Amino acid sequence: MKLPILLSACALAVAPLSACSLTEDNDSGKNSSNKITVTSTDDKCEVSAAKAESGRISFNVKNDGSKVTEFYLYGEDGLRIVGEVENIGPGITRDLVLTAQPGTYFTACKPGMIGKGIRADFTVSDSGKDVTIKGVDQKTIDTALAQYSSYVKDQTSQLVADTQEFIDAYKAGDDDKARTLFPTARTHWEGTETVAESFGDLDPKTDLREADLEPGQKWTGWHAIEKDLWPPAKGYTAFTPAQRVTYADDLMANITTLNTRVQTLTYTVDQIANGSKGLLDEVATGKISGEEDIWSHTDLWDFQANVDGAKVGYETLKPLLDVKDKALSETLATRFAELQKLLDKYKVGDGFVFYDTVKEPQRQELSDAVNALSEPLSKMAGALTL
Amino acid sequence: MTTDDQNSTVSRRRLLGVAGAGALAGAAALGGFELAQASDDAPETPSAGLAYDFHGRHQAGIVTPSQDRLHFASFDVTTSSRDELIALLKAWTEAAEAMTTGASVGADTLTNYASPPTDTGEALGLPASGLTLTFGFGPSLFTKDGKDRFGLEARRPKALQHLPHFPADNLDPARTDGDLCVQACANDPQVAVHAIRNLARIGFGTVAMRWNQLGFGRTSSTSTSQQTPRNLMGFKDGTANLKGEDAAEIEKFVWVDPSDDANASWLAGGSYLVARRIKIQIEPWDRTSLSEQEALIGRERAHGAPLSGGTEFTDLDLKIEGRNGPLIGMDAHVRLAHPSQNNGTKLLRRGYNFTDGTDALGRLDAGLFFIAFVRDPGKHYVPMQNQLSSQDGLMEYLQHTGSGLWAVPPGIRKGEYVGQALFA
């Protein structure tokens, strides 16, 4: 399953994050009367009203021209971008929603995406409503982003160490030790899985399941070794010691590459938020059904690691979300706790029971808790970037 | 509630296009709890443009003329919080109000490209299609494992019990019971499925879907304006069942009266929904001679006339004899289901044909999803089903594989939420 976190609606369809109004408070998100339609053609920018009342304003921008266009709301100085919507193809309609204080602004369409655009004055009068921005300061955002970066680096460095120990045991033929280390080493992979998956070349080499193979595709990585350690009773030829070395070293090389790459990786708020949601999707699609670790049945270690990773994402963004949407933040905290309580029922020592002992009604209970968390989690990115 | 003014908003042209003058007469006779309204965007299928008011004295989807498609869902409540349960019922009410008019869920929410859309989208551009959403509360909502879950036990209607085991039942727990049920009926299956899917999505964290059933074609008519449809046995089904126009009998056999149960006055104006998933042994049935098929049903197949004579709607003559005894046999389905054999009881049914693919042996997993709305299940359903399950000759070809009983709260007034009186 590929969930490239580097793609995000905010970055693609709307604007760079800084302009995604992260520093603004959300109100209810419901429509007010401030709905303005904009028609952008190759030489005109028709805005249905030149004024609005302070508060939430939505611009419905239709591109009636032949070129790709953009729409901007600039501040009084004509430089500060209050809000923007990019990449509007011919014939396409996009919405720009923002909160505006009383003041003087400029609207601008940019057919062809170049130049100063076709500008017009825009006035926001005082509605009397409190539109004070209870924003998050840049320092809080920077802190969160730095924290997440550290978390990923920490996880991958542990992944390198634990994988080394795992392949050493495996190469040495100490299968019992290797079987013990398999789920715990993978924990660090699973906790940051969406980051690893954003490298399109590393994920298939490292984490492909047998069922995912295309005809003729060579199977490498965790799960090939997993099958060798927990071989099916019939029809399987164990790896030779030489093959073991090949598979183990290949896995190690890819993990090392991952570790190198994350050292310079930076993140945006929406990437972290979507990454958290993506980790829960991993649980819902692979772990809950027992398809991830079909030979070892160590799915619950992966499950827990995905949840832990998602929770780190949430907690990293919590100072922001508490400002932007406190109710959503509280729901997420509750749902994470409820899911953890369920997972705890399957804990044995430092690990878990094997997933083949978890029967349908229990799996359904876990699935319900994952759904209960995933649904509000899917709203986190939008709540933060609106 | 209907007034003449509201009736005047009915598009005669469109309604007449749907089902002839009978539909109009029917709407009037019902007191118009469900008001057929014309939709502005002219639909491809005339009937698809129908919209029934979600609000009224009784819930829509009971005496509403049976729509062609069904998506029925049973949910279990996963929270232990009464407040969360109420919040869900409010959210469901809001969504149902929107969807039954043909609108999207959360249509007034501003577009946010970084969030998943509030509505799943597959019904965009489709008209209301006569969508009705009917909600029910199961026995387990009140008490589960001996526990009064939401402080509702004192108000649990006496008649709201798990249905007893009937002879030959082979119930699959995964198709049986549930804390809440939602019956979505519409003339477009996509609209019905969209409704259930969005309600389930809204419910994550508060409820989890327990099971659901699609019905691809109605097997009941709840209005005299409708033709009697056929079930998968090939016979007209439910000819003698109650129609919405039988106002006096609807009062008698469908709506719970305030005097029925002093502890459950909240249910007055409501009803009970009985659901039974009845698998038909299709292949053996298809190898049965026409004479035996007709004898087991008690009607001739071509037109649905009772074997005792006349035409489809002629009353049964249970006494008239032929060479080998009564023309309508003692084990004939129509005899055993007839009011005269059931203390005068008449059923309001909204059944649907279903197929769920094939079973492990390659046999069609198909049958009839039976839904009936009754005033008192202990009096109006259980005795009849006991009689049918033990004596009906048809039982050789039937197997009940799913079951459930839910109390259906009365209609929702504007500003109220589903079942509000229960929580008041």
Side-chain angles (χ1 to χ4, degrees), chain A residues 163-164 166-167 170-171 189 201-208 218-225 239 242-258:
Chain A
T163 306
Q164 186 66 54
F166 166 69
I167 64 154
Y170 177 63
K171 286 199 284 191
W189 170 273
D201 57 334
L202 281 182
D203 182 50
K205 288 180 193 164
T206 312
D207 202 30
L208 209 63
K218 188 169 161 49
W219 189 28
T220 57
W222 289 109
H223 297 296
I225 299 174
F239 287 162
Q243 280 176 310
R244 282 195 174 210
V245 171
T246 307
Y247 279 84
D249 288 349
D250 177 67
L251 174 65
M252 198 61 227
N254 288 319
I255 296 292
T256 309
T257 306
L258 172 67

Side-chain angles (χ1 to χ4, degrees), chain A residues 9-10 13-14 29-31 35 56 58 85 93-97 274 335 364 368 371-372 375 378-379 381-383 385-386, chain B residues 76 78-79 84 94 106-118 200-211:
Chain A
C10 196
V14 187
K30 296 273 179 180
N31 247 342
K35 282 179 87 171
R56 187 56 63 84
S58 103
V85 52
T93 301
R94 293 274 172 203
D95 290 335
L96 171 65
V97 180
N274 284 320
R335 301 271 166 92
Q364 192 182 340
D368 289 346
N371 281 333
E375 193 65 31
S378 73
K379 300 191 172 95
T385 53
L386 181 68
Chain B
D76 280 336
T78 52
T79 181
E84 285 179 23
E94 196 182 324
D108 59 346
T109 308
L110 293 164
T111 306
N112 182 347
Y113 294 103
S115 276
T118 49
R201 184 178 175 211
I202 291 167
F204 283 129
T206 311
V207 292
M209 197 181 283
R210 182 180 171 92
W211 54 273

